mmCIF file of all heavy atoms in Angstrom:
data_model
loop_
_atom_site.group_PDB
_atom_site.id
_atom_site.type_symbol
_atom_site.label_atom_id
_atom_site.label_comp_id
_atom_site.label_asym_id
_atom_site.label_seq_id
_atom_site.Cartn_x
_atom_site.Cartn_y
_atom_site.Cartn_z
ATOM 1 N N ALA A 69 7.273 -10.411 -14.309
ATOM 2 C CA ALA A 69 7.810 -11.401 -13.375
ATOM 3 C C ALA A 69 7.118 -11.295 -12.019
ATOM 4 O O ALA A 69 6.765 -12.306 -11.401
ATOM 5 C CB ALA A 69 9.318 -11.223 -13.226
ATOM 6 N N ALA A 70 6.902 -10.076 -11.554
ATOM 7 C CA ALA A 70 6.211 -9.884 -10.279
ATOM 8 C C ALA A 70 4.762 -10.345 -10.383
ATOM 9 O O ALA A 70 4.234 -10.990 -9.470
ATOM 10 C CB ALA A 70 6.275 -8.420 -9.862
ATOM 11 N N HIS A 71 4.119 -10.019 -11.499
ATOM 12 C CA HIS A 71 2.731 -10.450 -11.722
ATOM 13 C C HIS A 71 2.611 -11.972 -11.693
ATOM 14 O O HIS A 71 1.712 -12.521 -11.046
ATOM 15 C CB HIS A 71 2.236 -9.899 -13.054
ATOM 16 C CG HIS A 71 1.109 -10.664 -13.665
ATOM 17 N ND1 HIS A 71 -0.158 -10.696 -13.131
ATOM 18 C CD2 HIS A 71 1.075 -11.463 -14.775
ATOM 19 C CE1 HIS A 71 -0.929 -11.457 -13.881
ATOM 20 N NE2 HIS A 71 -0.211 -11.949 -14.870
ATOM 21 N N LEU A 72 3.516 -12.667 -12.371
ATOM 22 C CA LEU A 72 3.484 -14.130 -12.378
ATOM 23 C C LEU A 72 3.743 -14.681 -10.976
ATOM 24 O O LEU A 72 3.147 -15.687 -10.572
ATOM 25 C CB LEU A 72 4.521 -14.665 -13.371
ATOM 26 C CG LEU A 72 4.227 -14.372 -14.850
ATOM 27 C CD1 LEU A 72 5.389 -14.842 -15.725
ATOM 28 C CD2 LEU A 72 2.926 -15.026 -15.288
ATOM 29 N N GLY A 73 4.631 -14.010 -10.233
ATOM 30 C CA GLY A 73 4.861 -14.401 -8.844
ATOM 31 C C GLY A 73 3.607 -14.238 -8.004
ATOM 32 O O GLY A 73 3.314 -15.075 -7.134
ATOM 33 N N ALA A 74 2.851 -13.165 -8.257
ATOM 34 C CA ALA A 74 1.603 -12.944 -7.528
ATOM 35 C C ALA A 74 0.601 -14.053 -7.825
ATOM 36 O O ALA A 74 -0.069 -14.558 -6.915
ATOM 37 C CB ALA A 74 1.012 -11.593 -7.902
ATOM 38 N N GLU A 75 0.501 -14.457 -9.082
ATOM 39 C CA GLU A 75 -0.427 -15.531 -9.435
ATOM 40 C C GLU A 75 -0.082 -16.821 -8.692
ATOM 41 O O GLU A 75 -0.969 -17.544 -8.220
ATOM 42 C CB GLU A 75 -0.421 -15.747 -10.939
ATOM 43 C CG GLU A 75 -1.050 -14.611 -11.727
ATOM 44 C CD GLU A 75 -1.274 -14.954 -13.183
ATOM 45 O OE1 GLU A 75 -0.402 -15.653 -13.769
ATOM 46 O OE2 GLU A 75 -2.307 -14.538 -13.737
ATOM 47 N N LYS A 76 1.214 -17.102 -8.578
ATOM 48 C CA LYS A 76 1.642 -18.301 -7.853
ATOM 49 C C LYS A 76 1.335 -18.171 -6.366
ATOM 50 O O LYS A 76 0.876 -19.138 -5.728
ATOM 51 C CB LYS A 76 3.133 -18.540 -8.079
ATOM 52 C CG LYS A 76 3.490 -18.941 -9.502
ATOM 53 C CD LYS A 76 4.986 -19.144 -9.661
ATOM 54 C CE LYS A 76 5.334 -19.544 -11.091
ATOM 55 N NZ LYS A 76 6.804 -19.693 -11.280
ATOM 56 N N ASN A 77 1.575 -17.001 -5.797
ATOM 57 C CA ASN A 77 1.274 -16.795 -4.379
ATOM 58 C C ASN A 77 -0.223 -16.907 -4.099
ATOM 59 O O ASN A 77 -0.639 -17.465 -3.081
ATOM 60 C CB ASN A 77 1.788 -15.424 -3.923
ATOM 61 C CG ASN A 77 3.290 -15.408 -3.700
ATOM 62 O OD1 ASN A 77 3.868 -16.377 -3.227
ATOM 63 N ND2 ASN A 77 3.929 -14.299 -4.045
ATOM 64 N N ILE A 78 -1.023 -16.381 -5.001
ATOM 65 C CA ILE A 78 -2.476 -16.468 -4.846
ATOM 66 C C ILE A 78 -2.926 -17.926 -4.859
ATOM 67 O O ILE A 78 -3.704 -18.366 -4.005
ATOM 68 C CB ILE A 78 -3.176 -15.657 -5.961
ATOM 69 C CG1 ILE A 78 -2.952 -14.151 -5.744
ATOM 70 C CG2 ILE A 78 -4.665 -15.973 -6.001
ATOM 71 C CD1 ILE A 78 -3.339 -13.295 -6.938
ATOM 72 N N ALA A 79 -2.434 -18.685 -5.839
ATOM 73 C CA ALA A 79 -2.831 -20.090 -5.958
ATOM 74 C C ALA A 79 -2.357 -20.912 -4.766
ATOM 75 O O ALA A 79 -3.112 -21.727 -4.216
ATOM 76 C CB ALA A 79 -2.286 -20.669 -7.264
ATOM 77 N N ARG A 80 -1.109 -20.708 -4.345
ATOM 78 C CA ARG A 80 -0.553 -21.505 -3.255
ATOM 79 C C ARG A 80 -1.303 -21.270 -1.945
ATOM 80 O O ARG A 80 -1.429 -22.175 -1.120
ATOM 81 C CB ARG A 80 0.935 -21.194 -3.064
ATOM 82 C CG ARG A 80 1.631 -22.142 -2.064
ATOM 83 C CD ARG A 80 3.100 -21.856 -1.895
ATOM 84 N NE ARG A 80 3.362 -20.501 -1.496
ATOM 85 C CZ ARG A 80 3.817 -19.551 -2.305
ATOM 86 N NH1 ARG A 80 4.086 -19.816 -3.568
ATOM 87 N NH2 ARG A 80 4.000 -18.322 -1.869
ATOM 88 N N ASN A 81 -1.811 -20.060 -1.765
ATOM 89 C CA ASN A 81 -2.524 -19.734 -0.532
ATOM 90 C C ASN A 81 -4.024 -19.979 -0.617
ATOM 91 O O ASN A 81 -4.765 -19.651 0.317
ATOM 92 C CB ASN A 81 -2.262 -18.269 -0.153
ATOM 93 C CG ASN A 81 -0.863 -18.041 0.395
ATOM 94 O OD1 ASN A 81 -0.552 -18.438 1.510
ATOM 95 N ND2 ASN A 81 -0.003 -17.412 -0.403
ATOM 96 N N GLY A 82 -4.486 -20.534 -1.726
ATOM 97 C CA GLY A 82 -5.908 -20.829 -1.877
ATOM 98 C C GLY A 82 -6.779 -19.593 -1.924
ATOM 99 O O GLY A 82 -7.917 -19.611 -1.446
ATOM 100 N N LEU A 83 -6.265 -18.507 -2.527
ATOM 101 C CA LEU A 83 -6.983 -17.230 -2.542
ATOM 102 C C LEU A 83 -7.550 -16.876 -3.914
ATOM 103 O O LEU A 83 -7.926 -15.730 -4.154
ATOM 104 C CB LEU A 83 -6.058 -16.106 -2.067
ATOM 105 C CG LEU A 83 -5.683 -16.113 -0.583
ATOM 106 C CD1 LEU A 83 -4.588 -15.086 -0.293
ATOM 107 C CD2 LEU A 83 -6.914 -15.846 0.287
ATOM 108 N N SER A 84 -7.632 -17.845 -4.811
ATOM 109 C CA SER A 84 -8.056 -17.550 -6.179
ATOM 110 C C SER A 84 -9.461 -16.968 -6.255
ATOM 111 O O SER A 84 -9.787 -16.243 -7.200
ATOM 112 C CB SER A 84 -7.978 -18.813 -7.031
ATOM 113 O OG SER A 84 -6.647 -19.279 -7.109
ATOM 114 N N ALA A 85 -10.322 -17.274 -5.280
ATOM 115 C CA ALA A 85 -11.679 -16.725 -5.270
ATOM 116 C C ALA A 85 -11.724 -15.302 -4.734
ATOM 117 O O ALA A 85 -12.741 -14.610 -4.891
ATOM 118 C CB ALA A 85 -12.599 -17.620 -4.439
ATOM 119 N N ARG A 86 -10.635 -14.857 -4.105
ATOM 120 C CA ARG A 86 -10.639 -13.538 -3.450
ATOM 121 C C ARG A 86 -9.590 -12.586 -3.989
ATOM 122 O O ARG A 86 -9.655 -11.380 -3.738
ATOM 123 C CB ARG A 86 -10.414 -13.708 -1.940
ATOM 124 C CG ARG A 86 -11.492 -14.515 -1.233
ATOM 125 C CD ARG A 86 -11.159 -14.644 0.246
ATOM 126 N NE ARG A 86 -10.979 -13.327 0.855
ATOM 127 C CZ ARG A 86 -10.304 -13.121 1.979
ATOM 128 N NH1 ARG A 86 -9.717 -14.141 2.603
ATOM 129 N NH2 ARG A 86 -10.182 -11.908 2.476
ATOM 130 N N MET A 87 -8.604 -13.090 -4.712
ATOM 131 C CA MET A 87 -7.526 -12.243 -5.220
ATOM 132 C C MET A 87 -7.303 -12.480 -6.703
ATOM 133 O O MET A 87 -7.491 -13.588 -7.205
ATOM 134 C CB MET A 87 -6.205 -12.518 -4.477
ATOM 135 C CG MET A 87 -6.020 -11.766 -3.190
ATOM 136 S SD MET A 87 -4.327 -11.965 -2.540
ATOM 137 C CE MET A 87 -3.394 -10.967 -3.724
ATOM 138 N N GLU A 88 -6.875 -11.419 -7.375
ATOM 139 C CA GLU A 88 -6.557 -11.495 -8.796
ATOM 140 C C GLU A 88 -5.401 -10.545 -9.071
ATOM 141 O O GLU A 88 -5.329 -9.458 -8.495
ATOM 142 C CB GLU A 88 -7.781 -11.092 -9.618
ATOM 143 C CG GLU A 88 -7.586 -11.137 -11.114
ATOM 144 C CD GLU A 88 -8.832 -10.696 -11.872
ATOM 145 O OE1 GLU A 88 -9.795 -10.221 -11.233
ATOM 146 O OE2 GLU A 88 -8.822 -10.814 -13.118
ATOM 147 N N SER A 89 -4.484 -10.957 -9.943
ATOM 148 C CA SER A 89 -3.397 -10.082 -10.366
ATOM 149 C C SER A 89 -3.551 -9.796 -11.856
ATOM 150 O O SER A 89 -3.703 -10.715 -12.662
ATOM 151 C CB SER A 89 -2.029 -10.724 -10.096
ATOM 152 O OG SER A 89 -0.976 -9.858 -10.499
ATOM 153 N N ILE A 90 -3.519 -8.510 -12.213
ATOM 154 C CA ILE A 90 -3.641 -8.069 -13.603
ATOM 155 C C ILE A 90 -2.302 -7.463 -14.021
ATOM 156 O O ILE A 90 -1.788 -6.564 -13.343
ATOM 157 C CB ILE A 90 -4.742 -7.007 -13.770
ATOM 158 C CG1 ILE A 90 -6.078 -7.518 -13.213
ATOM 159 C CG2 ILE A 90 -4.862 -6.589 -15.226
ATOM 160 C CD1 ILE A 90 -6.671 -8.665 -13.957
ATOM 161 N N CYS A 91 -1.725 -7.956 -15.103
ATOM 162 C CA CYS A 91 -0.473 -7.388 -15.601
ATOM 163 C C CYS A 91 -0.805 -6.176 -16.465
ATOM 164 O O CYS A 91 -1.190 -6.312 -17.637
ATOM 165 C CB CYS A 91 0.310 -8.433 -16.402
ATOM 166 S SG CYS A 91 2.011 -7.924 -16.764
ATOM 167 N N ALA A 92 -0.717 -5.005 -15.868
ATOM 168 C CA ALA A 92 -1.106 -3.779 -16.558
ATOM 169 C C ALA A 92 -0.459 -2.586 -15.879
ATOM 170 O O ALA A 92 -0.215 -2.597 -14.672
ATOM 171 C CB ALA A 92 -2.622 -3.613 -16.561
ATOM 172 N N ASP A 93 -0.197 -1.565 -16.660
ATOM 173 C CA ASP A 93 0.291 -0.291 -16.144
ATOM 174 C C ASP A 93 -0.887 0.433 -15.507
ATOM 175 O O ASP A 93 -1.939 0.590 -16.139
ATOM 176 C CB ASP A 93 0.876 0.530 -17.299
ATOM 177 C CG ASP A 93 1.667 1.734 -16.828
ATOM 178 O OD1 ASP A 93 1.196 2.437 -15.910
ATOM 179 O OD2 ASP A 93 2.755 1.977 -17.383
ATOM 180 N N LEU A 94 -0.721 0.872 -14.273
ATOM 181 C CA LEU A 94 -1.852 1.510 -13.592
ATOM 182 C C LEU A 94 -2.273 2.822 -14.251
ATOM 183 O O LEU A 94 -3.357 3.338 -13.993
ATOM 184 C CB LEU A 94 -1.553 1.711 -12.109
ATOM 185 C CG LEU A 94 -0.403 2.629 -11.673
ATOM 186 C CD1 LEU A 94 -0.826 4.087 -11.667
ATOM 187 C CD2 LEU A 94 0.087 2.233 -10.298
ATOM 188 N N ARG A 95 -1.397 3.365 -15.122
ATOM 189 C CA ARG A 95 -1.760 4.581 -15.836
ATOM 190 C C ARG A 95 -2.722 4.305 -16.981
ATOM 191 O O ARG A 95 -3.290 5.230 -17.562
ATOM 192 C CB ARG A 95 -0.495 5.268 -16.356
ATOM 193 C CG ARG A 95 0.442 5.728 -15.257
ATOM 194 C CD ARG A 95 1.767 6.203 -15.799
ATOM 195 N NE ARG A 95 2.503 5.123 -16.464
ATOM 196 C CZ ARG A 95 3.725 5.260 -16.974
ATOM 197 N NH1 ARG A 95 4.341 6.428 -16.893
ATOM 198 N NH2 ARG A 95 4.326 4.237 -17.551
ATOM 199 N N SER A 96 -2.894 3.046 -17.323
ATOM 200 C CA SER A 96 -3.826 2.661 -18.391
ATOM 201 C C SER A 96 -4.509 1.361 -17.995
ATOM 202 O O SER A 96 -4.404 0.353 -18.697
ATOM 203 C CB SER A 96 -3.083 2.502 -19.720
ATOM 204 O OG SER A 96 -2.007 1.582 -19.582
ATOM 205 N N ILE A 97 -5.189 1.394 -16.867
ATOM 206 C CA ILE A 97 -5.869 0.205 -16.351
ATOM 207 C C ILE A 97 -6.929 -0.250 -17.348
ATOM 208 O O ILE A 97 -7.644 0.579 -17.933
ATOM 209 C CB ILE A 97 -6.486 0.510 -14.978
ATOM 210 C CG1 ILE A 97 -5.362 0.627 -13.931
ATOM 211 C CG2 ILE A 97 -7.475 -0.574 -14.546
ATOM 212 C CD1 ILE A 97 -5.800 1.097 -12.590
ATOM 213 N N PRO A 98 -7.018 -1.565 -17.582
ATOM 214 C CA PRO A 98 -7.963 -2.083 -18.582
ATOM 215 C C PRO A 98 -9.373 -1.538 -18.411
ATOM 216 O O PRO A 98 -9.862 -1.336 -17.296
ATOM 217 C CB PRO A 98 -7.917 -3.600 -18.339
ATOM 218 C CG PRO A 98 -6.561 -3.848 -17.771
ATOM 219 C CD PRO A 98 -6.235 -2.628 -16.944
ATOM 220 N N THR A 99 -10.030 -1.325 -19.553
ATOM 221 C CA THR A 99 -11.337 -0.664 -19.547
ATOM 222 C C THR A 99 -12.442 -1.521 -18.937
ATOM 223 O O THR A 99 -13.525 -1.007 -18.650
ATOM 224 C CB THR A 99 -11.735 -0.282 -20.987
ATOM 225 O OG1 THR A 99 -11.678 -1.459 -21.817
ATOM 226 C CG2 THR A 99 -10.786 0.770 -21.546
ATOM 227 N N GLU A 100 -12.193 -2.829 -18.742
ATOM 228 C CA GLU A 100 -13.251 -3.638 -18.119
ATOM 229 C C GLU A 100 -13.480 -3.273 -16.657
ATOM 230 O O GLU A 100 -14.471 -3.684 -16.060
ATOM 231 C CB GLU A 100 -12.938 -5.137 -18.237
ATOM 232 C CG GLU A 100 -11.672 -5.588 -17.525
ATOM 233 C CD GLU A 100 -10.492 -5.728 -18.481
ATOM 234 O OE1 GLU A 100 -10.454 -4.968 -19.474
ATOM 235 O OE2 GLU A 100 -9.640 -6.585 -18.229
ATOM 236 N N PHE A 101 -12.566 -2.493 -16.070
ATOM 237 C CA PHE A 101 -12.753 -2.017 -14.702
ATOM 238 C C PHE A 101 -13.368 -0.619 -14.759
ATOM 239 O O PHE A 101 -12.708 0.364 -15.070
ATOM 240 C CB PHE A 101 -11.426 -2.006 -13.955
ATOM 241 C CG PHE A 101 -10.862 -3.381 -13.745
ATOM 242 C CD1 PHE A 101 -9.944 -3.905 -14.635
ATOM 243 C CD2 PHE A 101 -11.258 -4.148 -12.668
ATOM 244 C CE1 PHE A 101 -9.423 -5.172 -14.463
ATOM 245 C CE2 PHE A 101 -10.746 -5.426 -12.480
ATOM 246 C CZ PHE A 101 -9.837 -5.940 -13.385
ATOM 247 N N ASP A 102 -14.657 -0.573 -14.476
ATOM 248 C CA ASP A 102 -15.395 0.677 -14.578
ATOM 249 C C ASP A 102 -14.941 1.674 -13.521
ATOM 250 O O ASP A 102 -14.474 1.293 -12.441
ATOM 251 C CB ASP A 102 -16.895 0.429 -14.410
ATOM 252 C CG ASP A 102 -17.479 -0.409 -15.531
ATOM 253 O OD1 ASP A 102 -16.924 -0.362 -16.636
ATOM 254 O OD2 ASP A 102 -18.485 -1.099 -15.285
ATOM 255 N N ALA A 103 -15.098 2.934 -13.844
ATOM 256 C CA ALA A 103 -14.823 3.979 -12.860
ATOM 257 C C ALA A 103 -15.738 3.782 -11.655
ATOM 258 O O ALA A 103 -16.917 3.450 -11.793
ATOM 259 C CB ALA A 103 -15.042 5.348 -13.484
ATOM 260 N N GLY A 104 -15.171 3.960 -10.458
ATOM 261 C CA GLY A 104 -15.952 3.851 -9.239
ATOM 262 C C GLY A 104 -16.308 2.438 -8.849
ATOM 263 O O GLY A 104 -17.285 2.218 -8.127
ATOM 264 N N SER A 105 -15.512 1.462 -9.277
ATOM 265 C CA SER A 105 -15.866 0.068 -9.021
ATOM 266 C C SER A 105 -15.188 -0.529 -7.790
ATOM 267 O O SER A 105 -15.360 -1.717 -7.507
ATOM 268 C CB SER A 105 -15.547 -0.792 -10.247
ATOM 269 O OG SER A 105 -14.202 -0.649 -10.644
ATOM 270 N N PHE A 106 -14.418 0.283 -7.042
ATOM 271 C CA PHE A 106 -13.738 -0.213 -5.843
ATOM 272 C C PHE A 106 -14.077 0.665 -4.638
ATOM 273 O O PHE A 106 -14.156 1.890 -4.756
ATOM 274 C CB PHE A 106 -12.222 -0.227 -6.046
ATOM 275 C CG PHE A 106 -11.752 -1.254 -7.047
ATOM 276 C CD1 PHE A 106 -11.702 -0.944 -8.390
ATOM 277 C CD2 PHE A 106 -11.372 -2.528 -6.637
ATOM 278 C CE1 PHE A 106 -11.271 -1.885 -9.329
ATOM 279 C CE2 PHE A 106 -10.946 -3.477 -7.551
ATOM 280 C CZ PHE A 106 -10.893 -3.161 -8.898
ATOM 281 N N GLN A 107 -14.231 0.021 -3.483
ATOM 282 C CA GLN A 107 -14.459 0.776 -2.246
ATOM 283 C C GLN A 107 -13.164 1.329 -1.676
ATOM 284 O O GLN A 107 -13.178 2.336 -0.976
ATOM 285 C CB GLN A 107 -15.116 -0.111 -1.180
ATOM 286 C CG GLN A 107 -16.585 -0.378 -1.403
ATOM 287 C CD GLN A 107 -16.799 -1.638 -2.231
ATOM 288 O OE1 GLN A 107 -15.856 -2.277 -2.663
ATOM 289 N NE2 GLN A 107 -18.057 -1.969 -2.458
ATOM 290 N N CYS A 108 -12.033 0.667 -1.950
ATOM 291 C CA CYS A 108 -10.742 1.090 -1.412
ATOM 292 C C CYS A 108 -9.646 0.866 -2.443
ATOM 293 O O CYS A 108 -9.733 -0.042 -3.276
ATOM 294 C CB CYS A 108 -10.383 0.300 -0.147
ATOM 295 S SG CYS A 108 -11.471 0.605 1.255
ATOM 296 N N CYS A 109 -8.624 1.680 -2.372
ATOM 297 C CA CYS A 109 -7.376 1.473 -3.103
ATOM 298 C C CYS A 109 -6.231 1.505 -2.100
ATOM 299 O O CYS A 109 -6.301 2.219 -1.088
ATOM 300 C CB CYS A 109 -7.148 2.560 -4.158
ATOM 301 S SG CYS A 109 -8.247 2.487 -5.578
ATOM 302 N N VAL A 110 -5.183 0.743 -2.375
ATOM 303 C CA VAL A 110 -3.986 0.756 -1.541
ATOM 304 C C VAL A 110 -2.773 0.826 -2.459
ATOM 305 O O VAL A 110 -2.825 0.398 -3.610
ATOM 306 C CB VAL A 110 -3.887 -0.499 -0.637
ATOM 307 C CG1 VAL A 110 -5.043 -0.547 0.345
ATOM 308 C CG2 VAL A 110 -3.848 -1.774 -1.471
ATOM 309 N N SER A 111 -1.664 1.360 -1.934
ATOM 310 C CA SER A 111 -0.448 1.401 -2.735
ATOM 311 C C SER A 111 0.783 1.624 -1.864
ATOM 312 O O SER A 111 0.758 2.440 -0.944
ATOM 313 C CB SER A 111 -0.515 2.528 -3.784
ATOM 314 O OG SER A 111 0.612 2.483 -4.641
ATOM 315 N N ASN A 112 1.808 0.850 -2.166
ATOM 316 C CA ASN A 112 3.152 1.089 -1.644
ATOM 317 C C ASN A 112 3.979 1.528 -2.852
ATOM 318 O O ASN A 112 4.636 0.722 -3.495
ATOM 319 C CB ASN A 112 3.710 -0.192 -1.024
ATOM 320 C CG ASN A 112 5.089 0.003 -0.407
ATOM 321 O OD1 ASN A 112 5.676 1.080 -0.499
ATOM 322 N ND2 ASN A 112 5.623 -1.039 0.196
ATOM 323 N N PRO A 113 3.908 2.818 -3.202
ATOM 324 C CA PRO A 113 4.432 3.287 -4.486
ATOM 325 C C PRO A 113 5.934 3.558 -4.444
ATOM 326 O O PRO A 113 6.570 3.507 -3.380
ATOM 327 C CB PRO A 113 3.662 4.590 -4.689
ATOM 328 C CG PRO A 113 3.509 5.123 -3.292
ATOM 329 C CD PRO A 113 3.309 3.904 -2.416
ATOM 330 N N PRO A 114 6.519 3.868 -5.610
ATOM 331 C CA PRO A 114 7.931 4.268 -5.641
ATOM 332 C C PRO A 114 8.161 5.507 -4.779
ATOM 333 O O PRO A 114 7.309 6.388 -4.703
ATOM 334 C CB PRO A 114 8.176 4.575 -7.123
ATOM 335 C CG PRO A 114 7.130 3.801 -7.857
ATOM 336 C CD PRO A 114 5.927 3.821 -6.958
ATOM 337 N N TYR A 115 9.321 5.562 -4.138
ATOM 338 C CA TYR A 115 9.641 6.659 -3.225
ATOM 339 C C TYR A 115 10.487 7.762 -3.854
ATOM 340 O O TYR A 115 10.392 8.927 -3.494
ATOM 341 C CB TYR A 115 10.411 6.123 -2.013
ATOM 342 C CG TYR A 115 9.606 5.356 -1.012
ATOM 343 C CD1 TYR A 115 10.230 4.601 -0.036
ATOM 344 C CD2 TYR A 115 8.207 5.396 -1.009
ATOM 345 C CE1 TYR A 115 9.505 3.882 0.910
ATOM 346 C CE2 TYR A 115 7.470 4.676 -0.079
ATOM 347 C CZ TYR A 115 8.128 3.928 0.877
ATOM 348 O OH TYR A 115 7.418 3.223 1.811
#
Side-chain angles (χ1 to χ4, degrees):
H71 157 68
L72 293 175
E75 290 191 322
K76 292 179 180 178
N77 283 323
I78 290 167
R80 188 179 56 256
N81 286 288
L83 290 171
S84 298
R86 298 179 56 201
M87 275 189 72
E88 180 181 8
S89 181
I90 305 294
C91 192
D93 192 316
L94 63 82
R95 297 171 296 183
S96 55
I97 288 172
T99 55
E100 63 261 31
F101 294 94
D102 295 333
S105 55
F106 291 87
Q107 284 91 358
C108 294
C109 289
V110 297
S111 186
N112 182 356
Y115 286 167

